[in-house]
Coordinates of all heavy atoms in Angstrom, one line a residue:
M218 N -7.7 -13.3 5.5 CA -7.6 -12.3 6.6 C -8.7 -12.5 7.6 O -9.8 -12.6 7.2 CB -7.6 -10.9 5.9 CG -7.5 -9.8 6.9 SD -7.3 -8.2 6.2 CE -8.6 -8.0 5.1
T219 N -8.4 -12.6 8.8 CA -9.4 -12.8 9.8 C -9.9 -11.4 10.3 O -9.2 -10.4 10.1 CB -8.8 -13.6 11.1 OG1 -7.8 -12.8 11.7 CG2 -8.3 -14.9 10.6
E220 N -11.0 -11.4 10.9 CA -11.6 -10.1 11.4 C -10.7 -9.5 12.5 O -10.8 -8.3 12.7 CB -13.0 -10.3 11.9 CG -14.0 -10.7 10.8 CD -15.4 -10.8 11.3 OE1 -15.7 -10.3 12.3 OE2 -16.1 -11.6 10.7
N221 N -9.9 -10.3 13.2 CA -9.1 -9.7 14.3 C -7.8 -9.1 13.9 O -7.2 -8.4 14.7 CB -8.8 -10.9 15.3 CG -10.1 -11.4 16.0 OD1 -11.1 -10.8 15.9 ND2 -10.0 -12.5 16.6
Q222 N -7.4 -9.3 12.7 CA -6.2 -8.8 12.2 C -6.4 -7.3 11.9 O -7.3 -6.9 11.1 CB -5.7 -9.5 11.0 CG -5.0 -10.8 11.3 CD -4.5 -11.4 10.0 OE1 -5.2 -11.6 9.0 NE2 -3.2 -11.7 10.0
E223 N -5.5 -6.5 12.4 CA -5.6 -5.0 12.1 C -4.8 -4.8 10.8 O -3.8 -5.3 10.6 CB -4.9 -4.2 13.2 CG -5.1 -2.8 13.1 CD -4.8 -2.0 14.4 OE1 -4.5 -2.7 15.4 OE2 -4.9 -0.8 14.3
T224 N -5.5 -4.0 10.0 CA -4.9 -3.7 8.7 C -4.5 -2.2 8.6 O -5.1 -1.4 9.4 CB -5.8 -4.0 7.5 OG1 -7.0 -3.2 7.6 CG2 -6.2 -5.5 7.5
R225 N -3.7 -1.9 7.7 CA -3.3 -0.5 7.5 C -3.3 -0.2 6.0 O -3.1 -1.2 5.2 CB -1.9 -0.2 8.0 CG -1.9 -0.3 9.5 CD -0.5 -0.2 10.1 NE 0.0 1.2 10.1 CZ 1.1 1.5 10.7 NH1 1.8 0.6 11.3 NH2 1.6 2.7 10.6
V226 N -3.5 1.0 5.6 CA -3.4 1.4 4.2 C -1.9 1.7 4.0 O -1.3 2.4 4.7 CB -4.3 2.6 3.9 CG1 -4.0 3.1 2.5 CG2 -5.7 2.3 4.1
V227 N -1.4 1.1 2.9 CA 0.0 1.1 2.6 C 0.2 1.5 1.1 O -0.5 0.9 0.2 CB 0.7 -0.3 2.9 CG1 2.1 -0.2 2.5 CG2 0.5 -0.7 4.3
L228 N 1.2 2.3 0.9 CA 1.6 2.6 -0.5 C 2.9 1.8 -0.7 O 3.9 2.0 0.0 CB 1.8 4.1 -0.7 CG 2.5 4.5 -2.0 CD1 1.7 4.1 -3.2 CD2 2.9 5.9 -2.1
L229 N 2.9 0.9 -1.7 CA 4.1 0.2 -2.0 C 4.7 0.7 -3.3 O 4.1 0.6 -4.3 CB 3.8 -1.3 -2.1 CG 4.9 -2.3 -2.3 CD1 5.9 -2.2 -1.1 CD2 4.4 -3.7 -2.4
G230 N 5.9 1.3 -3.2 CA 6.5 1.9 -4.4 C 7.5 0.9 -4.9 O 8.3 0.3 -4.2
I231 N 7.4 0.6 -6.2 CA 8.3 -0.5 -6.8 C 9.0 0.1 -8.0 O 8.3 0.8 -8.9 CB 7.4 -1.7 -7.2 CG1 6.6 -2.2 -6.1 CG2 8.3 -2.8 -7.9 CD1 5.5 -3.2 -6.5
V232 N 10.3 -0.1 -8.1 CA 11.0 0.3 -9.3 C 11.6 -0.9 -9.9 O 12.3 -1.7 -9.2 CB 12.2 1.3 -8.9 CG1 13.0 1.7 -10.1 CG2 11.6 2.6 -8.3
V233 N 11.4 -1.1 -11.2 CA 11.9 -2.3 -11.9 C 12.9 -1.8 -12.9 O 12.6 -1.1 -13.9 CB 10.7 -3.0 -12.7 CG1 11.2 -4.2 -13.4 CG2 9.6 -3.3 -11.7
D234 N 14.1 -2.3 -12.7 CA 15.3 -2.0 -13.6 C 15.5 -3.2 -14.6 O 16.2 -3.1 -15.6 CB 16.6 -1.8 -12.9 CG 16.5 -0.6 -12.0 OD1 16.0 0.5 -12.5 OD2 16.9 -0.6 -10.8
E235 N 15.0 -4.4 -14.3 CA 15.2 -5.6 -15.0 C 13.9 -6.2 -15.6 O 13.1 -6.8 -14.9 CB 15.8 -6.7 -14.1 CG 16.2 -8.0 -14.7 CD 17.0 -7.8 -16.0 OE1 18.1 -7.3 -15.9 OE2 16.5 -8.3 -17.1
P236 N 13.7 -6.0 -16.9 CA 12.4 -6.4 -17.5 C 12.2 -7.9 -17.3 O 11.0 -8.3 -17.3 CB 12.6 -6.0 -19.0 CG 13.7 -5.0 -19.0 CD 14.6 -5.3 -17.8
D237 N 13.2 -8.7 -17.2 CA 13.0 -10.1 -17.1 C 12.3 -10.5 -15.7 O 11.8 -11.6 -15.6 CB 14.3 -10.9 -17.2 CG 14.9 -10.9 -18.6 OD1 14.1 -10.6 -19.5 OD2 16.1 -11.1 -18.7
S238 N 12.2 -9.6 -14.8 CA 11.6 -9.8 -13.5 C 10.1 -9.5 -13.5 O 9.4 -9.7 -12.5 CB 12.3 -9.1 -12.4 OG 13.6 -9.6 -12.2
V239 N 9.6 -8.9 -14.5 CA 8.2 -8.4 -14.5 C 7.2 -9.5 -14.4 O 6.3 -9.4 -13.6 CB 7.9 -7.6 -15.8 CG1 6.5 -7.3 -16.0 CG2 8.8 -6.3 -15.8
E240 N 7.4 -10.7 -15.0 CA 6.5 -11.8 -14.9 C 6.4 -12.3 -13.5 O 5.3 -12.5 -12.9 CB 6.9 -12.9 -15.8 CG 5.8 -14.0 -15.8 CD 6.1 -15.1 -16.9 OE1 6.9 -14.9 -17.8 OE2 5.6 -16.2 -16.7
A241 N 7.6 -12.5 -12.8 CA 7.6 -12.9 -11.4 C 6.9 -11.9 -10.5 O 6.2 -12.2 -9.6 CB 9.0 -13.2 -11.0
L242 N 7.2 -10.6 -10.8 CA 6.5 -9.5 -10.0 C 5.0 -9.6 -10.1 O 4.3 -9.5 -9.1 CB 7.1 -8.2 -10.5 CG 6.4 -6.9 -9.9 CD1 6.5 -6.9 -8.4 CD2 6.9 -5.7 -10.5
N243 N 4.5 -9.7 -11.3 CA 3.1 -9.8 -11.5 C 2.5 -11.0 -10.9 O 1.4 -10.9 -10.3 CB 2.7 -9.8 -13.0 CG 2.8 -8.4 -13.6 OD1 2.6 -7.4 -13.0 ND2 3.3 -8.3 -14.9
Q244 N 3.2 -12.1 -10.8 CA 2.7 -13.3 -10.1 C 2.6 -13.0 -8.6 O 1.6 -13.4 -8.0 CB 3.6 -14.5 -10.4 CG 3.5 -15.1 -11.8 CD 4.5 -16.2 -12.1 OE1 5.3 -16.5 -11.2 NE2 4.4 -16.7 -13.3
L245 N 3.6 -12.4 -8.0 CA 3.5 -12.0 -6.6 C 2.3 -11.1 -6.3 O 1.6 -11.3 -5.4 CB 4.8 -11.4 -6.2 CG 6.0 -12.3 -5.9 CD1 7.3 -11.5 -5.7 CD2 5.7 -13.2 -4.8
L246 N 2.2 -10.1 -7.2 CA 1.1 -9.2 -6.9 C -0.3 -9.9 -7.1 O -1.2 -9.6 -6.3 CB 1.1 -8.0 -7.9 CG 2.3 -7.0 -7.7 CD1 2.3 -6.0 -8.8 CD2 2.2 -6.4 -6.4
H247 N -0.4 -10.8 -8.0 CA -1.6 -11.6 -8.1 C -1.8 -12.4 -6.8 O -3.0 -12.6 -6.4 CB -1.5 -12.6 -9.3 CG -2.7 -13.4 -9.5 ND1 -3.9 -12.9 -9.9 CD2 -3.0 -14.7 -9.2 CE1 -4.8 -13.8 -9.9 NE2 -4.3 -14.9 -9.5
Q248 N -0.8 -13.0 -6.2 CA -0.9 -13.8 -5.0 C -1.5 -12.9 -3.8 O -2.2 -13.4 -3.0 CB 0.4 -14.4 -4.6 CG 0.9 -15.5 -5.4 CD 2.3 -15.9 -5.0 OE1 2.9 -15.5 -4.0 NE2 3.0 -16.7 -5.9
Y249 N -1.2 -11.6 -3.8 CA -1.6 -10.7 -2.8 C -2.8 -9.8 -3.2 O -3.1 -8.8 -2.6 CB -0.4 -9.9 -2.3 CG 0.5 -10.7 -1.5 CD1 1.5 -11.5 -2.1 CD2 0.5 -10.7 -0.1 CE1 2.4 -12.2 -1.3 CE2 1.4 -11.4 0.7 CZ 2.4 -12.2 0.0 OH 3.2 -12.9 0.8
S250 N -3.4 -10.2 -4.3 CA -4.5 -9.3 -4.9 C -5.6 -9.0 -4.0 O -6.3 -8.0 -4.1 CB -5.0 -9.9 -6.2 OG -5.6 -11.2 -6.0
R251 N -5.9 -9.9 -3.0 CA -7.0 -9.7 -2.1 C -6.8 -8.4 -1.3 O -7.8 -7.9 -0.7 CB -7.3 -10.9 -1.2 CG -6.2 -11.2 -0.2 CD -6.5 -12.5 0.5 NE -5.5 -12.9 1.4 CZ -4.4 -13.7 1.0 NH1 -4.3 -14.1 -0.3 NH2 -3.5 -14.0 1.8
Y252 N -5.6 -8.0 -1.1 CA -5.3 -6.8 -0.3 C -5.1 -5.5 -1.2 O -5.1 -4.4 -0.7 CB -3.9 -7.0 0.4 CG -3.9 -8.2 1.3 CD1 -3.0 -9.2 1.1 CD2 -4.8 -8.2 2.4 CE1 -3.0 -10.3 2.0 CE2 -4.7 -9.3 3.3 CZ -3.8 -10.3 3.1 OH -3.8 -11.4 4.0
I253 N -5.0 -5.7 -2.5 CA -4.7 -4.5 -3.4 C -6.0 -3.7 -3.7 O -7.0 -4.2 -4.1 CB -4.1 -5.0 -4.7 CG1 -2.7 -5.7 -4.4 CG2 -3.9 -3.8 -5.7 CD1 -2.0 -6.3 -5.6
I254 N -5.9 -2.4 -3.3 CA -6.9 -1.5 -3.6 C -6.8 -0.9 -5.0 O -7.8 -0.8 -5.8 CB -6.9 -0.3 -2.6 CG1 -7.1 -0.8 -1.2 CG2 -7.9 0.8 -3.0 CD1 -6.8 0.3 -0.2
G255 N -5.6 -0.6 -5.4 CA -5.3 -0.1 -6.8 C -3.9 -0.2 -7.1 O -3.0 -0.4 -6.3
R256 N -3.6 0.0 -8.4 CA -2.2 -0.1 -8.9 C -2.1 0.8 -10.1 O -3.0 0.9 -10.9 CB -2.0 -1.6 -9.3 CG -0.8 -1.9 -10.1 CD -0.8 -3.4 -10.4 NE 0.3 -3.7 -11.3 CZ 0.6 -4.9 -11.7 NH1 -0.1 -5.9 -11.3 NH2 1.6 -5.0 -12.6
M257 N -0.9 1.4 -10.2 CA -0.6 2.3 -11.4 C 0.8 2.0 -11.8 O 1.7 2.1 -10.9 CB -0.8 3.7 -11.0 CG -0.5 4.7 -12.2 SD -0.7 6.4 -11.8 CE 0.4 6.7 -10.5
G258 N 1.0 1.8 -13.0 CA 2.4 1.6 -13.5 C 2.8 2.6 -14.6 O 1.9 3.0 -15.4
L259 N 4.0 3.1 -14.5 CA 4.5 4.1 -15.4 C 5.8 3.7 -16.0 O 6.8 3.6 -15.3 CB 4.8 5.4 -14.6 CG 3.6 6.1 -14.0 CD1 4.0 7.2 -13.0 CD2 2.6 6.6 -15.0
P260 N 5.8 3.3 -17.3 CA 7.1 3.0 -17.9 C 7.9 4.3 -18.2 O 7.3 5.3 -18.8 CB 6.7 2.3 -19.2 CG 5.3 2.8 -19.5 CD 4.7 3.2 -18.2
Y261 N 9.1 4.4 -17.8 CA 9.9 5.5 -18.0 C 11.0 5.1 -19.0 O 12.1 4.7 -18.7 CB 10.5 6.0 -16.7 CG 11.3 7.3 -16.8 CD1 11.1 8.2 -17.9 CD2 12.1 7.7 -15.8 CE1 11.8 9.4 -17.9 CE2 12.8 8.9 -15.8 CZ 12.6 9.8 -16.9 OH 13.3 11.0 -16.9
R262 N 10.6 5.2 -20.3 CA 11.5 4.6 -21.4 C 12.8 5.3 -21.5 O 13.8 4.6 -21.8 CB 10.7 4.7 -22.7 CG 9.5 3.7 -22.7 CD 8.7 3.8 -24.0 NE 7.5 2.9 -23.9 CZ 6.4 3.3 -23.4 NH1 6.2 4.5 -22.9 NH2 5.4 2.4 -23.4
E263 N 12.9 6.6 -21.2 CA 14.2 7.3 -21.4 C 15.2 6.7 -20.4 O 16.4 6.8 -20.7 CB 14.0 8.8 -21.1 CG 13.2 9.5 -22.2 CD 11.7 9.4 -22.0 OE1 11.2 8.9 -20.9 OE2 11.0 9.7 -22.9
R264 N 14.8 6.2 -19.2 CA 15.7 5.7 -18.2 C 15.6 4.1 -18.2 O 16.3 3.5 -17.4 CB 15.4 6.2 -16.9 CG 15.5 7.7 -16.8 CD 16.9 8.2 -16.9 NE 17.7 7.8 -15.7 CZ 18.1 8.7 -14.8 NH1 17.8 9.9 -14.8 NH2 18.8 8.2 -13.8
Q265 N 14.8 3.5 -19.0 CA 14.6 2.1 -19.1 C 14.3 1.5 -17.7 O 14.8 0.4 -17.3 CB 15.9 1.4 -19.7 CG 16.1 1.9 -21.1 CD 17.4 1.3 -21.7 OE1 18.2 0.6 -21.0 NE2 17.5 1.4 -23.0
V266 N 13.3 2.1 -17.0 CA 12.8 1.6 -15.8 C 11.3 1.7 -15.8 O 10.7 2.5 -16.6 CB 13.3 2.3 -14.5 CG1 14.8 2.2 -14.4 CG2 12.9 3.8 -14.5
S267 N 10.7 0.9 -14.9 CA 9.2 1.0 -14.7 C 9.0 1.4 -13.3 O 9.6 0.8 -12.4 CB 8.5 -0.3 -15.1 OG 8.6 -0.5 -16.5
I268 N 8.0 2.2 -13.0 CA 7.7 2.6 -11.6 C 6.3 2.2 -11.4 O 5.4 2.5 -12.2 CB 7.8 4.1 -11.4 CG1 9.3 4.6 -11.7 CG2 7.4 4.5 -10.0 CD1 9.4 5.2 -13.0
I269 N 6.1 1.4 -10.3 CA 4.7 0.9 -10.0 C 4.3 1.3 -8.6 O 5.1 1.2 -7.7 CB 4.7 -0.6 -10.2 CG1 5.2 -1.1 -11.5 CG2 3.3 -1.2 -9.8 CD1 5.5 -2.5 -11.7
S270 N 3.1 1.9 -8.5 CA 2.6 2.2 -7.2 C 1.4 1.3 -6.9 O 0.5 1.1 -7.8 CB 2.0 3.7 -7.2 OG 3.0 4.6 -7.5
V271 N 1.5 0.6 -5.8 CA 0.5 -0.3 -5.4 C -0.1 0.1 -4.0 O 0.7 0.3 -3.1 CB 1.0 -1.8 -5.3 CG1 -0.1 -2.7 -4.9 CG2 1.6 -2.2 -6.6
V272 N -1.4 0.3 -3.9 CA -2.0 0.7 -2.7 C -2.7 -0.5 -2.1 O -3.5 -1.2 -2.8 CB -3.0 1.9 -2.9 CG1 -3.6 2.2 -1.5 CG2 -2.3 3.1 -3.5
L273 N -2.4 -0.9 -0.9 CA -3.0 -2.0 -0.2 C -3.7 -1.6 1.1 O -3.4 -0.6 1.7 CB -1.8 -3.0 0.2 CG -0.9 -3.4 -0.9 CD1 0.5 -2.9 -0.7 CD2 -0.9 -4.9 -1.1
D274 N -4.6 -2.5 1.5 CA -5.2 -2.4 2.8 C -4.9 -3.8 3.4 O -5.7 -4.8 3.0 CB -6.7 -2.1 2.8 CG -7.3 -1.9 4.1 OD1 -6.6 -2.1 5.2 OD2 -8.5 -1.5 4.2
A275 N -3.9 -4.0 4.2 CA -3.4 -5.3 4.6 C -2.8 -5.3 5.9 O -2.4 -4.3 6.4 CB -2.4 -5.8 3.5
P276 N -2.7 -6.5 6.6 CA -2.0 -6.6 7.8 C -0.5 -6.4 7.6 O 0.0 -6.7 6.5 CB -2.2 -8.1 8.2 CG -3.3 -8.6 7.3 CD -3.4 -7.7 6.1
G277 N 0.2 -5.9 8.6 CA 1.6 -5.6 8.4 C 2.4 -6.8 8.0 O 3.4 -6.6 7.2
D278 N 2.1 -8.0 8.5 CA 2.9 -9.1 8.1 C 2.8 -9.5 6.6 O 3.7 -9.9 6.0 CB 2.6 -10.4 9.0 CG 1.2 -10.8 8.9 OD1 0.3 -10.0 8.5 OD2 0.9 -11.9 9.4
A279 N 1.6 -9.2 6.1 CA 1.4 -9.5 4.6 C 2.2 -8.5 3.8 O 2.8 -8.8 2.8 CB -0.1 -9.4 4.3
V280 N 2.2 -7.2 4.2 CA 2.9 -6.2 3.5 C 4.4 -6.5 3.6 O 5.1 -6.4 2.6 CB 2.6 -4.8 4.1 CG1 3.5 -3.7 3.4 CG2 1.1 -4.4 3.9
S281 N 4.9 -6.8 4.8 CA 6.3 -7.2 4.9 C 6.7 -8.3 4.0 O 7.8 -8.3 3.4 CB 6.6 -7.5 6.4 OG 6.5 -6.3 7.2
A282 N 5.9 -9.4 4.0 CA 6.2 -10.6 3.2 C 6.2 -10.2 1.7 O 7.1 -10.6 1.0 CB 5.1 -11.6 3.5
L283 N 5.2 -9.5 1.3 CA 5.2 -9.1 -0.2 C 6.4 -8.2 -0.5 O 7.0 -8.4 -1.5 CB 3.9 -8.4 -0.5 CG 3.7 -7.8 -1.9 CD1 3.9 -8.9 -2.9 CD2 2.4 -7.1 -2.0
S284 N 6.6 -7.2 0.3 CA 7.7 -6.3 0.0 C 9.1 -7.0 0.0 O 9.9 -6.8 -0.9 CB 7.7 -5.2 1.1 OG 8.8 -4.3 0.8
G285 N 9.2 -7.9 0.9 CA 10.5 -8.7 1.0 C 10.6 -9.6 -0.3 O 11.7 -9.7 -0.8
K286 N 9.6 -10.3 -0.7 CA 9.6 -11.1 -1.8 C 9.9 -10.3 -3.1 O 10.7 -10.8 -4.0 CB 8.3 -11.9 -2.0 CG 8.1 -13.0 -0.9 CD 6.7 -13.6 -1.0 CE 6.5 -14.6 0.1 NZ 5.2 -15.2 0.0
I287 N 9.3 -9.2 -3.2 CA 9.5 -8.3 -4.4 C 11.0 -7.8 -4.4 O 11.6 -7.8 -5.4 CB 8.5 -7.1 -4.4 CG1 7.1 -7.6 -4.7 CG2 9.0 -6.1 -5.4 CD1 6.0 -6.5 -4.5
G288 N 11.5 -7.4 -3.2 CA 12.8 -6.9 -3.1 C 13.9 -8.0 -3.4 O 15.0 -7.6 -3.8
R289 N 13.6 -9.2 -3.4 CA 14.5 -10.3 -3.7 C 14.5 -10.6 -5.2 O 15.4 -11.4 -5.7 CB 14.2 -11.6 -2.9 CG 14.6 -11.4 -1.4 CD 14.6 -12.7 -0.7 NE 13.2 -13.2 -0.5 CZ 12.4 -12.8 0.5 NH1 12.8 -11.9 1.4 NH2 11.2 -13.4 0.6
L290 N 13.6 -10.0 -6.0 CA 13.6 -10.2 -7.4 C 14.8 -9.4 -8.0 O 15.1 -8.3 -7.6 CB 12.3 -9.8 -8.1 CG 11.1 -10.5 -7.7 CD1 9.8 -9.8 -8.3 CD2 11.1 -12.0 -8.2
P291 N 15.5 -10.0 -9.0 CA 16.7 -9.3 -9.6 C 16.2 -8.0 -10.3 O 15.2 -8.0 -11.0 CB 17.2 -10.3 -10.6 CG 16.6 -11.6 -10.3 CD 15.3 -11.4 -9.5
G292 N 16.9 -6.9 -9.9 CA 16.6 -5.6 -10.6 C 15.3 -5.0 -10.2 O 14.8 -4.1 -10.9
V293 N 14.8 -5.3 -9.0 CA 13.5 -4.8 -8.5 C 13.7 -4.3 -7.1 O 14.3 -5.0 -6.2 CB 12.4 -5.8 -8.5 CG1 11.1 -5.2 -8.0 CG2 12.2 -6.4 -9.9
T294 N 13.3 -3.1 -6.8 CA 13.3 -2.4 -5.5 C 11.9 -2.1 -5.0 O 11.1 -1.6 -5.8 CB 14.2 -1.2 -5.5 OG1 15.4 -1.4 -6.1 CG2 14.4 -0.6 -4.2
A295 N 11.6 -2.3 -3.7 CA 10.3 -2.0 -3.2 C 10.5 -1.3 -1.8 O 11.3 -1.7 -1.0 CB 9.5 -3.3 -3.1
K296 N 9.7 -0.3 -1.6 CA 9.6 0.4 -0.3 C 8.2 0.6 0.0 O 7.3 1.0 -0.8 CB 10.3 1.7 -0.4 CG 11.8 1.6 -0.7 CD 12.6 1.0 0.5 CE 14.0 1.0 0.1 NZ 14.8 0.2 1.0
A297 N 7.8 0.4 1.3 CA 6.5 0.6 1.8 C 6.3 1.9 2.7 O 7.2 2.1 3.5 CB 6.0 -0.6 2.6
V298 N 5.3 2.6 2.5 CA 4.9 3.7 3.3 C 3.6 3.4 3.9 O 2.6 3.2 3.2 CB 4.8 5.0 2.4 CG1 4.4 6.2 3.3 CG2 6.1 5.3 1.7
Y299 N 3.6 3.4 5.3 CA 2.4 3.0 6.0 C 1.6 4.2 6.5 O 2.1 5.2 6.9 CB 2.8 2.2 7.3 CG 3.4 0.8 7.0 CD1 4.7 0.7 6.6 CD2 2.6 -0.3 7.1 CE1 5.3 -0.5 6.3 CE2 3.2 -1.6 6.8 CZ 4.5 -1.6 6.4 OH 5.0 -2.9 6.2
S300 N 0.2 4.0 6.5 CA -0.6 5.0 7.1 C -0.5 4.9 8.6 O -0.1 3.9 9.1 CB -2.1 4.8 6.7 OG -2.6 3.6 7.2
K301 N -0.9 5.9 9.3 CA -0.9 5.8 10.7 C -2.1 5.0 11.2 O -3.1 4.9 10.6 CB -1.0 7.2 11.3 CG 0.2 8.1 11.0 CD 0.1 9.4 11.7 CE 1.3 10.2 11.3 NZ 1.3 11.6 11.9
L302 N -1.8 4.3 12.3 CA -2.9 3.6 13.0 C -3.8 4.5 13.7 O -3.4 5.6 14.0 CB -2.3 2.6 14.0 CG -1.6 1.4 13.4 CD1 -0.9 0.6 14.6 CD2 -2.5 0.5 12.7
P303 N -5.1 4.2 13.9 CA -6.0 5.0 14.6 C -5.4 5.4 15.9 O -4.9 4.6 16.7 CB -7.3 4.2 14.8 CG -7.2 3.2 13.7 CD -5.7 2.9 13.5
G304 N -5.5 6.7 16.2 CA -4.9 7.2 17.5 C -3.5 7.6 17.5 O -3.0 8.2 18.4
E305 N -2.8 7.2 16.4 CA -1.4 7.7 16.3 C -1.3 9.1 15.8 O -2.1 9.6 15.1 CB -0.6 6.8 15.2 CG -0.2 5.5 15.7 CD 0.6 4.7 14.6 OE1 0.6 5.1 13.4 OE2 1.3 3.8 15.0
K306 N -0.2 9.8 16.3 CA 0.0 11.2 15.9 C 1.1 11.3 15.0 O 2.0 10.5 14.9 CB 0.2 12.0 17.1 CG -1.1 12.2 17.9 CD -0.9 13.1 19.0 CE -2.2 13.3 19.8 NZ -2.1 14.3 20.8

């Protein structure tokens, strides 16, 4: 990340329905680990899904790339919620 790139705080919500995709998901998160502030995973065994919250401070293009790659994994859904930029209402 260069100093000129504007970053935003982003919450990336991930739902995993396919356990076989977990290893690939973890590899992607590792690739983007320099942007990750924190991560929390909750296995919901009754519904056989895992819910993962990842908080990032990253440029928009990095968030879009990560979210898109995660969303292409079988049985995995990802949605990003962005903080407002300074001066936004």
Side-chain angles (χ1 to χ4, degrees):
M218 180 169 55
T219 65
E220 291 181 27
N221 295 346
Q222 284 185 302
E223 188 162 357
T224 65
R225 291 172 77 171
V226 175
V227 178
L228 170 63
L229 186 59
I231 304 167
V232 177
V233 181
D234 296 313
E235 180 53 59
D237 291 341
S238 293
V239 171
E240 185 175 339
L242 172 60
N243 283 327
Q244 288 175 356
L245 283 171
L246 292 174
H247 180 73
Q248 289 173 13
Y249 288 82
S250 63
R251 67 182 172 276
Y252 301 118
I253 295 176
I254 299 169
R256 168 182 173 175
M257 178 179 64
L259 300 168
Y261 189 15
R262 290 177 184 87
E263 292 82 13
R264 299 293 290 257
Q265 297 180 348
V266 299
S267 293
I268 301 100
I269 303 167
S270 299
V271 180
V272 180
L273 306 115
D274 187 354
D278 59 343
V280 175
S281 294
L283 175 60
S284 183
K286 290 174 184 178
I287 290 172
R289 286 190 290 277
L290 295 173
V293 182
T294 305
K296 298 290 180 190
V298 179
Y299 291 80
S300 66
K301 293 182 180 178
L302 289 171
E305 283 185 341
K306 291 185 179 188

